[in-house]
Amino acid sequence: MALRQTELRPLGKPVGRKEDPRLIRGKGRYVDDIMLPNMLHLCVVRSPYAHARIRRIDASAALAAPGVKLVLTGEDLAKMNLAWMPTLAGDRQMVLATDKVLFQYQEVAAVVAETRAQAEDAAQLIEVDYEPLPVVVDPFYALTPEAPILRDDKEKKSNLIFHWEAGDREETEAIFREAPVVVKQDVRFPRVHPSPLEPCGCVADYDTARSKLTFYVTSQAPHAHRTVLALVSGLPEHQIHVISPDVGGGFGNKVPVYPGYVCAIVASLKLGVPVKWIETRTENIASTHFARDYHMTAEIAAREDGKVLALRVKTVADHGAFDGAADPSKFPAGLFSIVSGSYDFKAAFVEVDGVHTNKPPGGVAYRCSFRVTEAAYLIERVMDVLAQRLKMDPAELRLRNFIRKEQFPYRSPTGWVYDSGDYEKTLRLALERIDYEELRKEQAERRARGEFMGIGISTFTEVVGAGPGHTFDILGLKMFDSAQIRVHPTGKVIARLGVRHQGQGHETTFAQIIAEELGLSVDDVLIEEGDTDTAPYGLGTYASRSTPTAGGAAALCARRIRQKARKIAAHLLEVGEDDVVWDGTAFSVQGLPGRSVTMKDVAFAAYTNVPEGLEPGLEASYYYDPPNLTFPNGAYIAVVDIDKGTGAVKVRRFLAVDDCGTVINPMIVDGQVHGGLTEGFAIAFMQDIPYDADGNCLAPNWMDYLVPTSLDTPHWETDRTVTPSPHHPIGAKGVGESPNVGSPAAFVNAVVDALSPLGVEHIDMPIYPWKVWSILRAHGVTE
Ligand code: PCD
Ligand SMILES: [Cu+]
């Protein structure tokens, strides 16, 4: 049962979500709900070819079509110096193609008309004369000398975008030379897409009289978008007002700036009226930024008793036509170097080659703090390969190799400093709750009967919460975050934060933090995010960073308010400030608990009766740059049964034990875990975006790119251990991404475990029934 929103001391309690009465009654206000007078509609014309030279674009028929007000091409944008724009990774991307296209569905022209239907009809009339060029789909081929160079706009004549390394090569090699056991496995993380329910979209409204651009956009990072728009367009930043209304899911998809946004803004500037652009589902999947697509090879050097010694990883990363990776500037392969996971390796060496191909740009951090999902999946998969090779129980192998709780803060061999954790406790709780021993017995019995039952374990560690600002920036913008709290005379509060939630429940959880610190109830605190004219500057919501950064800012900002409140309380209680104590709900006089004033009394006095010399009013702001990241972790266990006839995998049980430090709202954390597990399940069993040899996208819709329904989705069991972050103001770590990061390996490990009697050591995701069926058939299990 959810806790009432009027109760005091709400931190750690399952308070009902304040945003839900609005959202579940269909009263959310999303970008497509915005209707402005004289608003026009924009439709993007896209390339049918994955690689082609553009000889000519003829827009005359489109311009003559009913309702059409404007057609934009790359040439038009080039005159305004807007044909290209910067990507988050410091590459550049075409807004509208000028001389050639580099992926199927690339933006080629934009049509603006009175209605959306008119814009779409006219888009069909635009004639583009393409000269097809040879297509590069395979990133390994892209690196060979025979492959055509795709980006002729770049100085470097190569499809290699970057080569990046972490760890100690020599020490790692030395350990490998001597190691008694070495296992090696190729692992692919398929190309997937965040695919939020609400696709991307915007309304650009340029007011010529006030020279002000109001830009409504479904954005995870409105402030960063405003800065990028100012830099790209040359409009002064204070004349750009970005509003991110309710967001229907983000999942990393709404961090980048997309060509449609720039086109809508240019159209509004040219026409002086509002212009709306809303993507279709196909446009979303086939042109906005993808995720993953990592081809990884991992090797572990170990002793015969299972103690791991060193890790070596080589990866080819397919970034598509433009490097749009949403990674902090200093990390071209994101935080992939966290790949040594929860285990105490002596040494590690990691290499990543980023490569251009004729595919859409990316990759974004889809429920993943910058390539952490790929890393966690790889290490959890390869640990199982090692267990199988050594004929050891995978739980036992993990227990033997965990970083021990007394080793924190722990420096990993690639340089990360893990803040805290108790991995053994978390795994033991999971083993006990699922009754692991009993399950293994049952498995042995079933195996004896020729049945295929599997148990998969994943004990992942994540790194979330970017900043700190000294290491983390995007396009130079330091990744701190902010909160601003204003207490009104009646003790009601408005708090604005620099992040922007997309369904995570910030209106509730951040109200819980502030209410807890100020002795108020959640009902008393209104949280507002997403409006750049009112909210303090922040980097946005992704990378499970809101709680580690803005959550920290909210607590510290509230404490700043309390400091001033204490002065006012002393004045009201007619004692010295040192005699005032705060008990969590009221200020009282030391030793005289009967004499007290609440935050509400103090708030009123702040506007009516302040001590002499003190500034009236009660508000504060705080920009919080965390000293380190937070390292949430978990132990996940999947139990599966395989149907021998069809190869279908049934997830019988799934238990997720998470440790995200201090929990603000256990009900919301459970919801976060349920959602992320559902995504992880989809990635493991049903999602991939394949391309044919001509670069045609083979899954540009929800018929081919599958999204699980409630019927497909297993029942989730959750539990928790709590190891607070030692540096976060309330001890909280992020959690939003954990289930997506940790679960794919548990599913795959379970399926491989089920098939291990056949000698199977690895299956690449997605594990479609036909893949399993082919294995069963190859081994004569089924016909
Ligand atoms: N310890 C703790 C932690 C946390 N929490 C809670 O939970 C949530 C979450 O958080 P975080 O972890 O901090 O995170 P954020 O930042 O807020 O968010 C973000 C994430 O989130 C997730 N989840 C979700 N949900 C929803 N509903 N929707 C969405 O969209 C989404 N997305 C996803 C993603 S993808 Mo990326 O962007 O890719 O990077 S990242 C991400 C919030 O409310 C909070 O406060 C609590 O309570 N406690
Ligand atoms: Cu990732």
Side-chain angles (χ1 to χ4, degrees):
M1 259 302 276
L3 188 84
R4 292 227 310 279
Q5 290 162 0
T6 47
E7 286 175 47
L8 299 179
R9 306 305 301 261
L11 192 77
K13 311 228 175 89
V15 180
R17 288 176 30 124
K18 292 183 77 173
E19 42 271 89
D20 282 356
R22 173 176 93 246
L23 296 176
I24 62 178
R25 279 188 253 165
K27 301 285 181 195
R29 189 175 188 235
Y30 300 93
V31 69
D32 202 16
D33 294 324
I34 289 163
M35 302 290 175
L36 299 175
N38 306 319
M39 187 173 78
L40 302 175
H41 298 264
L42 184 141
C43 170
V44 175
V45 179
R46 294 172 184 278
S47 168
Y49 292 100
H51 196 195
R53 194 141 315 276
I54 296 178
R55 288 214 200 90
R56 201 175 52 91
I57 300 179
D58 182 354
S60 48
L63 274 167
V68 172
K69 300 289 179 197
L70 178 74
V71 172
L72 287 174
T73 62
E75 241 172 73
D76 301 322
L77 294 184
K79 286 180 204 139
M80 309 168 72
N81 205 12
L82 286 175
W84 292 77
M85 62 177 184
T87 70
L88 294 172
D91 189 7
R92 52 188 212 133
Q93 168 176 5
M94 285 183 233
V95 177
L96 293 176
T98 45
D99 57 335
K100 74 172 193 168
V101 288
L102 285 160
F103 65 93
Q104 190 192 33
Y105 292 102
Q106 189 181 326
E107 300 78 4
V108 173
V111 181
V112 181
E114 278 164 21
T115 67
R116 166 115 182 215
Q118 288 173 334
E120 284 189 17
D121 286 346
Q124 309 280 322
L125 302 175
I126 299 220
E127 279 175 39
V128 187
D129 187 3
Y130 293 101
E131 175 194 333
L133 297 170
V135 173
V136 178
V137 173
D138 181 354
F140 291 94
Y141 171 64
L143 289 173
T144 62
E146 303 86 68
I149 306 298
L150 302 182
R151 291 288 299 276
D152 36 29
D153 63 294
K154 280 181 152 182
E155 234 165 70
K156 196 169 92 188
K157 296 299 167 224
S158 159
N159 293 324
L160 178 71
I161 310 168
F162 62 83
H163 173 83
W164 176 77
E165 299 179 351
D168 188 329
R169 183 198 292 261
E170 262 116 67
E171 199 191 343
T172 306
E173 304 281 303
I175 294 176
F176 268 92
R177 275 194 297 273
E178 307 282 309
V181 180
V182 172
V183 294
K184 181 174 182 176
Q185 183 63 54
D186 290 334
V187 173
R188 163 129 203 275
F189 207 120
R191 180 173 269 249
V192 295
H193 196 281
S195 205
L197 266 183
E198 178 203 33
C200 298
C202 67
V203 176
D205 181 15
Y206 186 67
D207 179 339
T208 45
R210 293 185 305 143
S211 313
K212 185 156 184 177
L213 172 70
T214 306
F215 189 58
Y216 305 86
V217 60
T218 173
S219 166
Q220 295 179 236
H223 294 277
H225 281 177
R226 187 189 62 191
T227 303
V228 172
L229 293 177
L231 295 173
V232 169
S233 69
L235 292 171
E237 197 167 359
H238 63 300
Q239 302 284 73
I240 303 176
H241 181 187
V242 175
I243 300 173
S244 179
D246 280 327
V247 177
F251 308 109
N253 192 218
K254 294 169 180 174
V255 177
V257 169
Y258 293 116
Y261 301 165
V262 179
C263 292
I265 291 171
V266 169
S268 183
L269 284 171
K270 283 194 175 238
L271 299 170
V273 290
V275 176
K276 179 186 272 188
W277 171 65
I278 304 288
E279 265 179 353
T280 63
R281 178 60 53 197
T282 290
E283 290 181 291
N284 181 255
I285 297 179
S287 78
T288 63
H289 295 188
F290 75 95
R292 326 282 195 254
D293 213 344
Y294 258 35
H295 300 258
M296 310 173 279
T297 303
E299 291 166 277
I300 294 180
R303 290 196 318 231
E304 262 139 16
D305 64 357
K307 174 77 192 85
V308 298
L309 303 170
L311 176 71
R312 190 157 58 189
V313 178
K314 206 165 165 33
T315 291
V316 170
D318 187 340
H319 283 240
F322 308 102
D323 184 9
D327 293 330
S329 307
K330 286 189 186 141
F331 303 95
L335 313 189
F336 185 67
S337 52
I338 196 78
V339 64
S340 56
S342 310
Y343 314 106
D344 194 9
F345 282 93
K346 265 204 207 121
F349 182 64
V350 184
E351 289 174 279
V352 183
D353 285 333
V355 182
H356 283 308
T357 58
N358 289 119
K359 293 180 200 160
V364 289
Y366 163 30
R367 213 161 191 159
C368 157
S369 288
F370 325 117
R371 307 295 186 179
V372 173
T373 311
E374 292 89 326
Y377 175 63
L378 182 66
I379 185 67
E380 290 307 314
R381 189 72 275 286
V382 194
M383 284 298 277
D384 260 39
V385 173
L386 176 66
Q388 211 172 330
R389 211 61 78 72
L390 294 172
K391 300 200 166 43
M392 265 182 83
D393 182 280
E396 184 52 39
L397 179 74
R398 285 171 167 81
L399 287 166
R400 197 163 292 184
N401 285 295
F402 277 151
I403 299 159
R404 282 168 290 106
K405 73 166 190 256
E406 56 283 5
Q407 283 175 280
F408 293 93
Y410 168 83
R411 179 173 289 274
S412 84
T414 48
W416 298 103
V417 179
Y418 294 19
D419 60 347
S420 66
D422 188 344
Y423 300 152
E424 181 173 345
K425 183 171 163 195
T426 311
L427 177 57
R428 290 212 187 273
L429 174 63
L431 295 173
E432 190 187 306
R433 261 213 54 177
I434 203 139
D435 205 347
Y436 187 67
E437 270 174 40
E438 201 46 47
L439 283 171
R440 284 288 177 206
K441 269 188 219 146
E442 181 193 338
Q443 183 184 42
E445 285 160 24
R446 286 186 186 270
R447 272 187 185 161
R449 296 201 294 267
E451 292 174 24
F452 294 88
M453 166 187 166
I455 306 163
I457 299 180
S458 163
T459 47
F460 63 97
T461 291
E462 267 193 288
V463 43
V464 310
H470 58 73
T471 338
F472 290 91
D473 72 277
I474 281 190
L475 293 174
L477 301 167
K478 302 276 187 203
M479 297 179 82
F480 56 79
D481 230 287
S482 60
Q484 205 173 71
I485 300 176
R486 181 175 301 165
V487 186
H488 303 311
T490 56
K492 303 290 175 185
V493 175
I494 180 156
R496 299 187 167 103
L497 294 98
V499 290
R500 205 307 162 233
H501 63 98
Q502 312 122 39
Q504 290 87 345
H506 293 182
E507 290 173 41
T508 310
T509 51
F510 292 148
Q512 283 178 268
I513 296 179
I514 292 167
E516 178 78 19
E517 296 285 344
L518 296 183
L520 299 170
S521 71
V522 165
D523 222 23
D524 294 325
V525 184
L526 177 71
I527 299 289
E528 214 181 76
E529 299 177 350
D531 184 322
T532 58
D533 268 11
T534 54
Y537 202 96
L539 267 285
T541 292
Y542 42 86
S544 305
R545 66 184 297 279
S546 304
T547 303
T549 59
L556 295 173
C557 188
R559 287 174 200 172
R560 218 167 239 178
I561 296 256
R562 222 165 60 205
Q563 264 172 25
K564 179 170 180 187
R566 171 191 212 85
K567 290 195 200 322
I568 300 172
H571 169 69
L572 295 177
L573 295 164
E574 299 177 315
V575 292
E577 215 190 311
D578 292 344
D579 293 326
V580 174
V581 287
W582 171 252
D583 70 358
T585 55
F587 292 105
S588 57
V589 180
Q590 180 105 46
L592 280 175
R595 276 188 68 200
S596 66
V597 289
T598 64
M599 192 57 79
K600 291 201 178 172
D601 302 326
V602 168
F604 196 67
Y607 296 87
T608 56
N609 175 18
V610 281
E612 221 177 278
L614 195 71
E615 199 186 330
L618 196 55
E619 67 178 82
S621 47
Y622 205 108
Y623 287 77
Y624 179 61
D625 188 358
N628 189 7
L629 295 133
T630 66
F631 293 74
N633 48 81
Y636 290 0
I637 304 182
V639 184
V640 304
D641 297 296
I642 291 174
D643 184 284
K644 279 194 279 190
T646 61
V649 177
K650 173 145 180 53
V651 178
R652 188 205 304 178
R653 283 186 74 184
F654 193 100
L655 169 67
V657 178
D658 275 283
D659 193 327
C660 56
T662 306
V663 171
I664 303 159
N665 185 324
M667 180 192 71
I668 285 184
V669 167
D670 275 347
Q672 287 293 306
V673 173
H674 289 182
L677 292 178
T678 305
E679 289 178 320
F681 167 74
I683 290 169
F685 292 109
M686 45 175 65
Q687 297 182 333
D688 186 14
I689 307 183
Y691 287 80
D692 71 10
D694 296 321
N696 294 308
C697 178
L698 300 180
N701 55 61
W702 277 353
M703 298 291 282
D704 300 299
Y705 186 75
L706 302 181
V707 172
T709 66
S710 56
L711 291 178
D712 305 305
T713 305
H715 172 72
W716 308 120
E717 300 167 55
T718 59
D719 208 332
R720 251 185 300 282
T721 54
V722 176
T723 315
S725 167
H727 61 76
H728 186 271
I730 63 164
K733 304 181 179 188
V735 76
E737 297 166 320
S738 297
N740 192 319
V741 171
S743 66
F747 293 114
V748 177
N749 287 351
V751 176
V752 172
D753 181 56
L755 298 173
S756 61
L758 305 177
V760 174
E761 285 193 341
H762 177 70
I763 308 175
D764 268 328
M765 299 189 287
I767 303 185
Y768 296 121
W770 63 259
K771 276 195 196 170
V772 177
W773 181 81
S774 311
I775 292 168
L776 292 170
R777 202 164 91 125
H779 288 84
V781 176
T782 183
E783 273 151 41

